[in-house]
Amino acid sequence: MKRARFTEEQIIGVLREHEAGAKTADLARKHGVSEATLYNWKAKYGGMDVSEAKRLKALEEENVKLKKLLAEAMLDASALRELLFKKMVGPAAKREGVAHLRAAMGLSERRACGLVGADRTMIRYRSRRSPDIELREQIRDLANARKRFGYRRLFILLRQAGEPSGVNRIYRLYREEGLSVRKRRSRKRAVGTRGPIPIEAKANARWSLDFVHDQFASGRRFRVLNIVDDATRECLAAIPDTSISGRRVARELTALIGRRGKPGTIVSDNGTEFTSNAMLSWSEEHRIAWHFIAPGKPMQNGFCESFNGRMRDELLNETLFLGLDHAREKIAAWVDDYNHRRPHSALAYLTPAAYAASLPATCNRLRNPDQLRRSHVAHIAPHGVKLHGAPIAAG
């Protein structure tokens, strides 16, 4: 602010001389000011003493400060309205908000940081992390190939491929790439305690059968008969067709027994294909115990129901089937991938084929799934991922 040439005392002294009878022109010449300045002084300070003039000057200065504060408050309110629809959570969002205020409203860095609530050192910080371009591309490719896999299973696949990064780093890159698995709306589930279904820990101890339905691009419906080994979680067969009768189920089971051996027990629901005379005669002829679950209790056939859910989520909902041959080709490829390449969380992230190969072990290891888990997959399971128990040995 420019310093005034005359103080209030000097101005009032000049006005006193004018009141005493001095001419305006002579006073202006004497003090080196214009006559207009004398008239302005008289309009502002006429009739005042020195104390009143000082008080007027103080009021003017205070008024200037209040106007400045009001202008700053209005500017701050306008800046906050600019950030009204931006979430100021996290360093990246705050850096973006500060940059927007500086570019759009011309605020200084200090003032923008004060409005956003960010430290200036945080705003100036620049990450020194490597861009991880190759790893990001690898994660994107895997996520595009397996759309229903989350970061945990992607981490398992990357670790199996030799990637040394930890699960936290994979999760960070997964989120930065904007990847996520869309959650499907789940059904209401019964509330209550559930215990594990006891199964003898060996292959062919028990098989589960169930149907899953879908339709072709033309709208024609078809069904898939799924046969699952409850102990190893392997898919023994997935047979798609437009109709599957009880006789067809018997033929497929006979062929499967010829390749794999006889199961101890077979579990199914009460569908007409399984309760037909053809199936009853077949089970009696082959001397295989057949267990029918209670009506309306699908969780009694939980292993096959879980497999059906994985098949629908990862294959049926993601594929448009053009015909029966196309469905057979796609389903066979997916079953092969499920058995030999897809990590199974209930088997400590081993594949069903790898877990089945590890079952011919000592009896103690079969009865202690934790020891089997540690010996095979302690280096694979990601930190923070709950390892579900393997099938428990009966007896």
Side-chain angles (χ1 to χ4, degrees), residues 65-77:
K65 291 181 181 178
L66 290 175
K67 287 183 178 179
K68 184 178 179 181
L69 291 175
L70 179 60
E72 291 179 350
M74 293 177 65
L75 184 61
D76 291 348

Side-chain angles (χ1 to χ4, degrees), residues 184-192 194 298-299 305 309-310:
R184 306 189 190 278
R185 188 169 61 181
S186 60
R187 300 171 298 172
K188 292 183 179 180
R189 301 187 181 278
V191 178
R194 293 191 179 102
M299 282 310 299
E305 292 288 349
R310 301 287 76 74

